[in-house]
Amino acid sequence: DLIVDQTIEKVSFCAPDRNFDRAFSYICRDGTTRRWICHCFMAVKDTGERLSHAVGCAFAACLERKQKREKECGVTATFDASRTTFTREGSFRVTTATEQAEREEVMRQMPDAK
């Protein structure tokens, strides 16, 4: 069963508990309130160290994929502090070969129009 629905890319710290062998926690930023929250868990079958390592690896993989996707797609996000909102520019949607050809055709015709 799902305990917490957390966007892994917002996790900033993950570690096993030094007092309890089966415990681990992570700190993340809440997407709505922008507050830092610490989530603590007690493992049922495994050690906190193993689970902490798994979450840390998931975070690293997610961050790497996100950075690669942003680099390839040209998607950027800006934060407006006065309105506390993010604005995304660009799209992660993959264009089809037909759409790409149409875009290239339009770009070729633009210098001719000037």
Side-chain angles (χ1 to χ4, degrees):
D1 292 330
L2 182 66
I3 297 172
V4 175
D5 184 12
Q6 175 64 52
T7 304
I8 195 76
E9 69 187 25
K10 295 181 189 245
V11 173
S12 69
F13 179 79
C14 184
D17 190 288
R18 61 181 155 189
N19 298 320
F20 299 99
D21 185 44
R22 294 185 322 159
F24 80 99
S25 59
Y26 65 85
I27 298 172
C28 66
R29 186 154 227 171
D30 182 63
T32 308
T33 63
R34 306 278 301 142
R35 291 183 181 163
W36 290 101
I37 300 172
C38 180
H39 295 273
C40 301
F41 298 93
M42 195 66 103
V44 176
K45 296 179 181 177
D46 223 328
T47 66
E49 188 170 342
R50 282 181 53 95
L51 292 173
S52 171
H53 180 70
V55 171
C57 289
F59 168 66
C62 181
L63 184 61
E64 184 180 322
R65 289 173 115 185
K66 179 184 178 211
Q67 290 170 340
K68 181 180 176 188
R69 188 173 62 230
E70 286 175 348
K71 184 179 177 184
E72 290 173 353
C73 298
V75 175
T76 59
T78 55
F79 179 69
D80 182 358
S82 64
R83 294 177 32 205
T84 64
T85 58
F86 282 96
T87 304
R88 184 185 77 198
E89 300 198 15
S91 175
F92 292 117
R93 188 175 76 80
V94 178
T95 57
T96 64
T98 304
E99 290 171 329
Q100 184 65 29
E102 289 172 355
R103 182 180 297 145
E104 290 172 4
E105 183 62 31
V106 167
M107 294 305 284
R108 275 196 294 268
Q109 292 175 1
M110 286 183 77
D112 295 340
K114 291 180 183 177

